[in-house]
Amino acid sequence: MRYSRLLHQLLGKGRWHYWRHDQKSAILQLPLDILLLITDNLALHDKFLLSHTCKALRQVLLQDWDIKLPQLSFEHQIAFWVGLAYTLPNRWVCLKCCKLHPINTSDVPAAFTLVRYNRTVPCLLEISRGIETSHYSIQHYHIQLALKLSRLGNIYQQYLGALMQTFTRTLCPHMRIIGGLMGSRSSKKSSINVIVHWCKIMSPREGSILLKEATLLEDGVELAYDSPGQWVFNSCLHCLTDFAVIISTDKRKAIIRAWHDFGIEGSPLDASWKAHVKAKDEQYWFDVVGLHLDYTHGSIRELWSEDVSHGTGTSHAKVRSVFTKLIDGWSKV
Ligand SMILES: [Zn+2]
Ligand SMILES: [Zn+2]
């Protein structure tokens, strides 16, 4: 076994040292080979944390972190910082700087534009890395902090409340009504016609399937309009978002509700987060249409309904959005 001779010496010294001061320590009573079998299965951030618990374990893990970390790929470095951030109540992982930043309680999605332009966040994040409209932007670290503070339950709870505020005027990158309902449908149809007949990057059949997917929200509103007072439910095919539409009985108001699942505490590079976010070079709504996600439609709405009153509730980040619009604003439904 690697380093076994040296480690036997070091551990022997550590065990003796520790045993002399605290005989209740169990981990340092383990045979070295067994201890190494355990530590070999730890993630790097766990090794880092363990190596900082006492001199003996630092010797056992034997890493020069200043050399080790820069050798990692970008993805592994982010994973390392994500692992550390999980244990640190007031830190979040910055994708741009690839390091941890301190929490800033004035930085909430509804104030993101203000915070960013005032440079009160330590770096200028890419605008395309969140889910946003002009005055609202959820960044990955907002989700991560909400999950962490919800899990901890006893720190920054006011900030957690601000992070969990219901938001309006955005659904998901894949479902957008562009202008009025009729205009939105015809605008999307025209864009797809260009792709099919001019760019020739998909067949007419693929184009009609894409149009069907891209106008799920328009379909939902039209269906709800035929049954005023009744909720019409559907889901996005490309991100974990359930939505529902209702038209008031006087047909003057439409309400669209959405429930989002932004995934678990993890990396901003995780597929569960990336499915919600526009890539940097995507400019048009059809650019964001990607692979279908396999999930039970309606399940996110049901998860939310289970404990609507508690922050994020579970280890998954569930956020609800509500969009209300007067029918007059949509003109020709
Ligand atoms: Zn940064
Ligand atoms: Zn979506």
Side-chain angles (χ1 to χ4, degrees):
M1 183 165 288
R2 59 188 175 151
Y3 308 129
S4 59
R5 207 168 141 195
L6 175 62
L7 286 171
H8 264 294
Q9 291 171 359
L10 293 169
L11 189 63
K13 189 177 174 183
R15 284 176 68 187
W16 177 82
H17 178 79
Y18 198 84
W19 184 85
R20 198 177 57 167
H21 288 89
D22 183 355
Q23 295 189 38
K24 290 180 185 172
S25 167
I27 193 164
L28 291 177
Q29 309 304 320
L30 289 172
L32 175 60
D33 287 350
I34 292 182
L35 189 55
L36 287 175
L37 280 174
I38 295 169
T39 57
D40 279 352
N41 283 289
L42 294 178
L44 195 62
H45 62 271
D46 288 329
K47 288 183 182 176
F48 178 85
L49 291 167
L50 190 60
S51 74
H52 285 71
T53 55
C54 69
K55 280 183 183 175
L57 286 173
R58 183 177 301 175
Q59 306 281 16
V60 170
L61 289 156
L62 210 64
Q63 289 276 9
D64 186 333
W65 297 100
D66 289 337
I67 295 175
K68 178 75 181 176
L69 288 182
Q71 290 174 342
L72 300 175
S73 66
F74 176 71
E75 287 77 11
H76 284 104
Q77 285 189 46
I78 289 290
F80 173 81
W81 293 118
V82 166
L84 279 194
Y86 184 89
T87 65
L88 302 170
N90 59 353
R91 289 285 189 281
W92 57 272
V93 181
C94 176
L95 190 62
K96 187 170 185 182
C97 307
C98 197
K99 63 181 184 184
L100 300 179
H101 289 320
I103 203 168
N104 172 0
T105 54
S106 63
D107 182 359
V108 292
F112 184 74
T113 308
L114 191 67
V115 169
R116 188 169 38 152
Y117 286 116
N118 285 342
R119 304 279 179 111
T120 52
V121 284
C123 59
L124 199 61
L125 290 161
E126 299 291 345
I127 192 166
S128 62
R129 299 308 305 165
I131 298 168
E132 57 199 359
T133 58
S134 52
H135 299 295
Y136 187 96
S137 177
I138 299 182
Q139 299 291 316
H140 181 260
Y141 65 87
H142 291 139
I143 303 293
Q144 296 303 300
L145 287 170
L147 284 166
K148 179 160 57 179
L149 299 178
S150 182
R151 168 168 55 82
L152 295 173
N154 59 355
I155 186 169
Y156 294 116
Q157 293 302 293
Q158 203 172 344
Y159 181 48
L160 173 63
L163 287 171
M164 293 303 296
Q165 284 280 321
T166 296
F167 63 96
T168 60
R169 296 197 168 275
T170 181
L171 191 57
C172 78
H174 315 103
M175 289 184 290
R176 265 185 268 166
I177 292 179
I178 306 166
L181 270 188
M182 296 282 282
S184 182
R185 195 183 286 282
S186 65
S187 159
K188 291 177 180 180
K189 192 172 181 179
S190 303
S191 302
I192 289 173
N193 278 341
V194 170
I195 302 171
V196 170
H197 299 295
W198 292 88
C199 306
K200 297 188 186 298
I201 55 175
M202 67 174 63
S203 68
R205 185 173 171 277
E206 289 171 326
S208 58
I209 292 171
L210 177 58
L211 180 62
K212 186 70 189 160
E213 291 179 3
T215 51
L216 278 180
L217 183 55
E218 288 86 339
D219 289 346
V221 174
E222 286 181 1
L223 200 56
Y225 197 74
D226 290 340
S227 317
Q230 303 275 320
W231 283 102
V232 171
F233 298 98
N234 211 331
S235 306
C236 180
L237 297 168
H238 304 282
C239 70
L240 299 178
T241 297
D242 288 329
F243 68 90
V245 186
I246 192 169
I247 303 290
S248 61
T249 49
D250 62 2
K251 296 192 174 184
R252 290 187 51 79
K253 190 168 76 171
I255 297 175
I256 300 172
R257 282 191 170 173
W259 296 262
H260 309 274
D261 185 343
F262 292 125
I264 59 173
E265 287 187 81
S267 165
L269 302 174
D270 288 347
S272 57
W273 170 250
K274 286 168 83 174
H276 291 282
V277 180
K278 280 204 308 177
K280 208 172 170 183
D281 51 355
E282 288 166 349
Q283 296 178 22
Y284 304 103
W285 63 266
F286 53 82
D287 285 333
V288 301
V289 175
L291 295 174
H292 286 176
L293 281 188
D294 184 18
Y295 71 103
T296 305
H297 298 292
S299 58
I300 302 157
R301 176 168 45 85
E302 284 169 16
L303 275 174
W304 179 272
S305 305
E306 279 171 13
D307 65 16
V308 67
S309 60
H310 300 91
T312 57
T314 69
S315 58
H316 273 254
K318 307 184 299 290
V319 179
R320 180 180 53 165
S321 60
V322 180
F323 179 76
T324 306
K325 185 98 175 169
L326 291 175
I327 295 296
D328 291 348
W330 270 340
S331 56
K332 308 157 190 124
V333 177

